[in-house]
Amino acid sequence: MSDLNKLGLAEARDALRKGETTSKELTESCLSAIEGAGALNAFVHNTPELALEQAAQADARLKSSEDAAPMCGLPIGIKDLFCTKGVPSQAGSRILEGFLPQYESTVSGKLLDAGAVMLGKLNMDEFAMGSSNETSVYGNAVNPWRRGNDATALTPGGSSGGSAAAVAADLCLAATGTDTGGSIRQPAAFTGITGIKPTYGRCSRWGIVAFASSLDQAGPMTKSVRDAAIMLEAMCGYDPRDSTSADLPVPDFEAALTGDMRGKKIGIPREYRMDGMPEEIEALWQDGIAMMKDAGAEIVDISLPHTKYALPAYYVIAPAEASSNLARYDGVRYGHRATLEAGDGITEMYEKTRAEGFGPEVQRRVMIGTYVLSAGFYDAYYNRARRVRTLIKKDFEDVFAAGIDSILTPATPSAAFGLGEMVDADPVQMYLNDVFTVTVNLAGLPGIAVPTGQDRQGLPLGLQLIGRPWEEGDLLSSAYALEQAAGFVAKADKWW
């Protein structure tokens, strides 16, 4: 078999089971693709020796066991936010330079225990703070897609931009991502792949560098909905080391992919029809509605009245939690420490280390977070945002209680934009990229982005489905129906 790196998880798994290829061959194909894709800057810490060692172990496991886990032998990339034992884990930040964890995050550990092969660590926005992968200490990750014949480098989205670029460019079969306000779903939509954020608590957060602890959730970024189901099952499960981890059985998500929409009610929220929404996004949404209707679903107009407050609430809560979480990076125990001058004390060490170690976007969010948590402003901002969050969550609860099975919305307000086009603009303009995704994190719900079309310049566009809590199986089945109806098979033309 040639071009093994172009396979998805399901295809590669089946090929391994039939003896048509080996994990070593799959891994070598991906490593070769990575070597030739430096222009994308997707992989930032390569682990080829480790990958080949893991592939050999997987091949032995596949040969000796008929019931090897579905992920066994499949080469994947790991976002740099996941701590990986003995492998640099910097969260895209200078302040964690040189940090080599002596432990494995629960999610990456589960994947490795299932026999997955780690090709290396993937680029990301610093501490997952960004929507374009332009805040990374490693430099920008680049989208493999181009606007027609225009050579302008495009964003792969953020913060999981390296993961999205790597999967879309077939550098790996799949990748891990994390989603705090849309950081799996927005990059997936920008690069024409599938990305699912599971219900908060479905995947353990232990060993994942924290941004906003009540919002962060890990999930897979894959080439298809079926692949997302396979990988998500391997990533999920109760973890006593994470106090927010749900002690619930993990369903067979792949078995749930019936795609049967008969009797299902799909909600269309009127509040997501934003002023100034591009015609292409509106047309994509209408096409998606028609596809779901044709598949047998009942389309229901719904209201989520507090949606307009979601972005302001998110950009109070997330920076507040970031301010608290990032206080631990002080140059004392690990990571970057500033060079001190004679007479400098511990205060100067903290100040210089954090000024040198954190990039501008992280500094901005830490300052916002510290401000909204300060005396005199805590009630005016943070507590008010928490109350708004409760109202947003109740909006969804009311809709689901009325019989809605899932909600269909756009995933992003536009296709991928050029690197540098928004980074110098008002930061709020960049934050607006999360307009369709942050509600899902605030409410703790599962959400999935599925590629369903292209804009007039040939760039991929995606739709989002939002599901009931803990019903990822049903959500994936609806996404599978949407994927089948859309028939999206376009790939970026290779220029890198």
Side-chain angles (χ1 to χ4, degrees), residues 413-449:
S414 70
F417 48 88
L419 290 165
E421 287 181 3
M422 292 182 68
V423 75
D424 296 323
D426 178 354
V428 173
Q429 291 301 309
M430 186 72 85
Y431 298 164
L432 290 173
N433 270 284
D434 303 330
V435 66
F436 297 126
T437 52
V438 295
T439 53
V440 177
N441 299 80
L442 289 167
L445 300 171
I448 186 169

Side-chain angles (χ1 to χ4, degrees), residues 395-482:
D395 285 348
F396 283 104
E397 288 170 352
D398 291 346
V399 163
F400 291 132
I404 296 298
D405 294 288
S406 54
I407 298 166
L408 182 69
T409 79
T412 60
S414 70
F417 48 88
L419 290 165
E421 287 181 3
M422 292 182 68
V423 75
D424 296 323
D426 178 354
V428 173
Q429 291 301 309
M430 186 72 85
Y431 298 164
L432 290 173
N433 270 284
D434 303 330
V435 66
F436 297 126
T437 52
V438 295
T439 53
V440 177
N441 299 80
L442 289 167
L445 300 171
I448 186 169
V450 180
T452 54
Q454 292 170 269
D455 72 358
R456 64 176 66 91
Q457 295 175 305
L459 297 179
L461 298 170
L463 289 174
Q464 173 182 232
L465 279 162
I466 303 167
R468 296 168 175 264
W470 314 115
E471 294 190 15
E472 290 87 357
D474 190 62
L475 178 65
L476 284 159
S477 183
S478 296
Y480 182 68
L482 180 62

Side-chain angles (χ1 to χ4, degrees), residues 134-156:
E134 291 176 276
T135 70
S136 171
V137 71
Y138 310 117
N140 305 336
V142 180
N143 196 326
W145 290 81
R146 290 260 171 100
R147 299 173 181 139
N149 295 320
D150 186 342
T152 302
L154 304 180
T155 175

